[in-house]
Amino acid sequence: QVQLLESGGGLVQAGGSLRLSCAASGRTFSSYNMGWFRQAPGKEREFVAAIRGNSLRTDYADSVKGRFTISRDNAKNTVYLQMNSLKPEDTAVYYCAADRSMLSLRSDPHEYDFWGQGTQVTVSS
């Protein structure tokens, strides 16, 4: 079992930056692929970014490529999402998730096994 706790959300003006963190419990964190997802009111949860356990591969949604960067520190059991050049359409609750399959990176939220409670990101225009 893995418990995930996100932090770092908040209110920011368009063009600004935020860094989200997701702290994980457990000794097997480095073996999990990790993902970030987001869900805006009235919309389905959507993929944002994912990273392999060894950090050798990352994947991004087209809407955030070039603006967001996912990274992880396995010594600290933490995954990060650096968000730059934020836009109002980035407003959502952001969730981190863990995939224990050790397969290729996935963008389908149903493929992930463990979820955090989410952190709100609001971007004002």
Side-chain angles (χ1 to χ4, degrees):
Q1 191 76 10
V2 174
Q3 292 184 328
L4 304 172
L5 182 64
E6 302 96 336
S7 62
L11 174 64
V12 64
Q13 288 188 333
S17 298
L18 283 175
R19 187 195 196 202
L20 305 184
S21 299
C22 173
S25 65
R27 296 179 294 174
T28 56
F29 175 75
S30 62
S31 67
Y32 294 160
N33 292 343
M34 298 296 296
W36 283 98
F37 292 79
R38 65 188 182 186
Q39 188 166 18
K43 295 187 177 181
E44 294 187 351
R45 192 167 298 190
E46 66 173 0
F47 171 74
V48 175
I51 186 169
R52 291 296 300 268
N54 56 15
S55 298
L56 292 182
R57 185 175 177 87
T58 58
D59 192 20
Y60 296 91
D62 288 342
S63 59
V64 306
K65 279 181 182 177
R67 301 188 298 122
F68 290 11
T69 302
I70 189 171
S71 62
R72 65 191 295 163
D73 184 338
N74 287 340
K76 296 182 178 180
N77 276 20
T78 301
V79 61
Y80 304 98
L81 185 68
Q82 177 66 44
M83 304 186 295
N84 298 329
S85 302
L86 283 161
K87 304 175 181 180
E89 52 262 44
D90 294 318
T91 295
V93 177
Y94 283 71
Y95 299 89
C96 70
D99 171 13
R100 60 185 174 183
S101 71
M102 294 188 285
L103 299 176
S104 58
L105 293 177
R106 304 178 177 190
S107 60
D108 183 347
H110 297 97
E111 304 281 5
Y112 284 75
D113 302 292
F114 305 106
W115 290 85
Q117 86 293 342
T119 186
Q120 176 71 45
V121 171
T122 302
V123 184
S124 63
S125 57

